[in-house]
Structure formats: structure tokens, C-alpha cells
Amino acid sequence: MSRIGVVTFPGSLDDRDAQRAIRLSGAEPVALWHDDADLHGVDAVVLPGGFSYGDYLRCGAIARFSPAMMSIVDAANAGLPVLGICNGFQILCEAHLLPGALTRNQHLHFRNRDQWLRVEQTDTAWTNAYQPGEEILIPVKNGEGCYVADPATLEELETTGRVVFRYLRGNPNGSQHDIAGVRNAAGNVVGLMPHPEHAVEALTGPSTDGLGLFTAVLAHLGAAVPAAGRDRR
């Protein structure tokens, strides 16, 4: 069974939800602590949503210096699959594993709603379970979710196919180019602002569309995906 680590920082909010999503996908969740550089031999890592270190300085700016992140940066550069969700996306950008930055929502309000996304790229460790152009419904909840980058970086992301998710039917935070998630060049690191871990069960989410990110990494790792994990609808 594949083992997927979930890092808990001071102020993490959705680490237990990410662990449950991993368990539902058919993998074993492994709790990782921000102050421990040992990744305990996990096959992939999820950086969950929340407010690491109270979002002081900038969201994710302090978390990027944690011992766990130092190990994750090295492992990601060597090919370890890493998924950053909301605050995790912010941390990946601060750690320079992904380009750009997440800033205050343009309307200056916290936004919490179910959000339609279009899957733009399916050749990553975390999106191979989807079809190109597939539309999925996943909750979004953020106050600093506006994705920005300089014009050259935006052009590179678009021309090289590194925009992974794009907002549909309304942009909740003013992100440039309606960008909801991006990937690194290798495709093993993906970050997105919406919360797939909150769309894995029909009882509690607006859909089960988010489960595909977690089953996708199992397929990438060569692990068997249980039937229940394959059926997202």
C-alpha cells in the first residue's frame, strides 16, 4: 500500500481532511510534523490548507523554512510527488517549487463557495485520473487566493502547459488568467487553491470530484486503485 504524508504546521486546518481523502483513495496516510525533517519514507506528500504560523509576514513565508519543508524541497526536486492545497499552494510558491504568488483577494473578502474548475492538464502525478477539459466542482475557501505572476512567467505557464486548473463560471479571487492551480515543469509538484479533500464523499461535499487527485497519484506510483476510489461520480 502506498504511503502518503500529510504535513501539519502550527495553524494547519485541513490536515485531517487530507488524511481521510488519502484513506478513501486506498492509500495509507502518514502524519508528518513540520519540525521533523524525517519524511518517514513516504511515497508522496500533501501540504494541507489552513493558516500556517497564523499567516504572519506572508501566507506560507514562515512555513517554507520548517525542517520538513527543507526535506520536501530536496525530495520534490528528485521527483517526489507533492500536492499543495490552498495554504499548501502558498507554501510551495514561497519555497520556489512553483512560480508566482498568492495575494489578497482582489475584492478584499474571504470567499467560501463551491467552485467549478476546468482540468487543463492531465499529464501530472496528481491529475492523470481526469480527462482534458473535464469540469469538476470543488469547494474554495480563501482570503489570499489571488494568483499573480509577472507577464513572462504567465506566458511561460500558458505556452508550456503548466496551468493545471482554471476557474469556471466566475473567478472567486481575481487570479490572473483565471488560474486555480499550476504545476512544475516535471509534473510531480502541483498546487491549487480549491480544496479537493472536501469533495471526496457525497454526504459532505458538493461532489466527489476531488477524489481524483488522490487516486491519480496512486496510479502514478503504480499502486492499485480500489474500485470505490475509481468511481468519483
Side-chain angles (χ1 to χ4, degrees), residues 1-9 12 14-23 25 27-34 36 38-49 68-69 72 75 80-85 88 92 126 214 217-218 221:
M1 179 181 289
S2 294
R3 303 171 69 248
I4 302 178
V6 179
V7 183
T8 297
F9 300 92
S12 288
D14 299 304
D15 45 343
R16 295 298 181 90
D17 302 83
Q19 290 179 26
R20 178 165 179 77
I22 290 165
R23 191 175 295 110
S25 74
E28 177 188 351
V30 178
L32 301 177
W33 185 239
H34 71 105
D36 186 358
D38 186 356
L39 300 183
H40 301 281
V42 296
D43 302 301
V45 167
V46 175
L47 303 180
M69 277 307 301
I72 289 169
L80 182 77
V82 179
L83 176 67
I85 303 169
L92 290 176
W126 299 93
F214 302 96
V217 74
L218 298 188
L221 295 169

Side-chain angles (χ1 to χ4, degrees), residues 2-182:
S2 294
R3 303 171 69 248
I4 302 178
V6 179
V7 183
T8 297
F9 300 92
S12 288
L13 177 64
D14 299 304
D15 45 343
R16 295 298 181 90
D17 302 83
Q19 290 179 26
R20 178 165 179 77
I22 290 165
R23 191 175 295 110
L24 288 172
S25 74
E28 177 188 351
V30 178
L32 301 177
W33 185 239
H34 71 105
D35 201 32
D36 186 358
D38 186 356
L39 300 183
H40 301 281
V42 296
D43 302 301
V45 167
V46 175
L47 303 180
F51 307 90
S52 59
Y53 295 92
D55 284 347
Y56 288 108
L57 299 183
R58 292 185 310 276
C59 301
I62 299 177
R64 65 161 291 198
F65 292 108
S66 67
M69 277 307 301
M70 297 298 181
S71 298
I72 289 169
V73 168
D74 289 342
N77 286 329
L80 182 77
V82 179
L83 176 67
I85 303 169
C86 196
N87 187 225
F89 187 12
Q90 296 163 339
I91 295 170
L92 290 176
C93 290
E94 289 288 340
H96 306 298
L97 285 173
L98 292 175
L102 286 307
T103 62
R104 185 70 177 163
N105 292 351
Q106 281 192 349
H107 46 66
L108 304 181
H109 297 288
F110 189 92
R111 185 65 76 233
N112 181 7
R113 72 187 193 196
D114 298 332
Q115 178 67 48
W116 285 98
L117 308 175
R118 183 170 63 242
V119 182
E120 301 282 28
Q121 299 295 327
T122 59
D123 59 345
T124 79
W126 299 93
T127 58
N128 62 73
Y130 299 101
Q131 297 298 315
E134 185 173 349
E135 297 182 7
I136 61 177
L137 183 62
I138 290 177
V140 64
K141 51 176 186 174
N142 60 71
E144 290 84 17
C146 179
Y147 183 83
V148 298
D150 63 84
T153 298
L154 288 171
E155 182 178 3
E156 180 184 3
L157 290 173
E158 295 287 4
T159 58
T160 59
R162 290 175 59 188
V163 176
V164 179
F165 298 101
R166 209 179 300 268
Y167 295 116
L168 289 179
R169 308 178 197 178
N171 185 326
N173 46 43
S175 291
Q176 294 177 312
H177 293 208
D178 296 328
I179 291 174
V182 301

